[in-house]
Amino acid sequence: DQNFREQMGKLGLGDYVEQLPEEERKEFFNKNTALLRLRGPFLEALLIDGFPDFKIHRHGVRIFNAIIVEPLDLSGAEVKQPFWLGDSFLAGNANLRDSWFKQNLVLSGVQFLREANFERIRVGKSIFLQRTSFYGPVVFRLADIGVSLEADGAKFLNKEQTANFDNLKVGQTVSLEKAEFRGKVNFRGAVVGNQFIAEGA
């Protein structure tokens, strides 16, 4: 559908779905999940081991407007290339605990519908979470990020669970401009090398 493609190109999947009335959202997912579905195990295999006779470009893996239905388990994984997931939905739990991303990790405009576990994640450069929404528990406890944590406009929407950044370590900057926290947030023991920005949060 040409109009759908144009709207997706302009808004991205997350913002496109967000502007739909509630009853149309369910209809959208029923109609389009099969078309936009990306399997969690496929993404895990691509990022961790790759595939025979397939070389990932030096700019890394970039995926937009996907619906990942299965849980995503990258716990303990070592990812050498930059990874960019944009304007997508993660319908299952996302487990990146103890993973090691050597380059940038970009999760901009992603909707985490269940738990997002980044406990003890290491990121060599920066992690980007602009416009990202977290509906379930969020854990960044003991995360170690080389340069910056950029989460401008991010939404932490779970009222019952604390967004946990306990003992977070960031080499340069944490930016949470216009971020929204519906429940408690914990930055106890966090170490930030330069700036902590939360203007308009």
Side-chain angles (χ1 to χ4, degrees):
D1 178 78
Q2 183 64 30
N3 179 59
F4 169 66
R5 288 169 56 194
E6 289 175 1
Q7 289 293 313
M8 287 277 285
K10 184 169 68 173
L11 298 174
L13 179 61
D15 288 341
Y16 176 82
V17 171
E18 197 170 272
Q19 53 94 33
L20 293 175
E22 187 65 35
E23 62 277 5
E24 290 185 30
R25 291 184 194 181
K26 294 177 182 176
E27 182 183 339
F28 172 86
F29 283 114
N30 289 337
K31 181 180 177 183
N32 294 292
T33 294
L35 293 172
L36 301 173
R37 181 183 179 198
L38 178 68
R39 294 184 61 244
F42 168 83
L43 186 54
E44 294 163 18
L46 175 65
L47 292 174
I48 298 170
D49 299 317
F51 297 104
D53 302 319
F54 175 75
K55 184 178 180 182
I56 293 175
H57 192 276
R58 67 182 181 280
H59 292 157
V61 175
R62 297 184 177 205
I63 297 169
F64 295 86
N65 300 325
I67 299 173
I68 302 172
V69 178
E70 298 91 348
L72 180 64
D73 185 4
L74 292 169
S75 58
E78 180 180 306
V79 180
K80 299 175 183 177
Q81 65 276 345
F83 175 46
W84 187 320
L85 181 67
D87 297 305
S88 297
F89 282 82
L90 276 86
N93 291 338
N95 185 4
L96 288 83
R97 182 177 181 176
D98 293 315
S99 57
W100 170 209
F101 286 80
K102 294 189 173 183
Q103 305 293 326
N104 287 324
L105 173 59
V106 183
L107 301 169
S108 294
V110 173
Q111 311 269 329
F112 288 87
L113 303 185
R114 295 177 67 92
E115 181 180 8
N117 189 344
F118 296 87
E119 185 172 18
R120 292 193 301 271
I121 189 176
R122 287 193 298 154
V123 179
K125 293 186 178 179
S126 297
I127 182 168
F128 297 89
L129 301 168
Q130 291 100 334
R131 302 181 299 103
T132 293
S133 295
F134 298 93
Y135 289 86
V138 183
V139 179
F140 274 90
R141 182 174 176 272
L142 292 166
D144 188 343
I145 300 164
V147 181
S148 63
L149 168 63
E150 307 279 346
D152 299 340
K155 296 179 181 179
F156 300 84
L157 301 171
N158 193 299
K159 295 179 181 179
E160 280 74 46
Q161 299 283 340
T162 299
N164 192 351
F165 295 85
D166 163 39
N167 287 294
L168 169 75
K169 181 180 178 184
V170 180
Q172 290 295 321
T173 303
V174 171
S175 183
L176 293 161
E177 287 191 55
K178 298 182 180 178
E180 181 179 340
F181 296 90
R182 296 273 179 94
K184 294 181 180 179
V185 58
N186 174 17
F187 281 98
R188 189 180 297 113
V191 177
V192 180
N194 192 347
Q195 291 183 303
F196 185 96
I197 304 166
E199 184 177 355

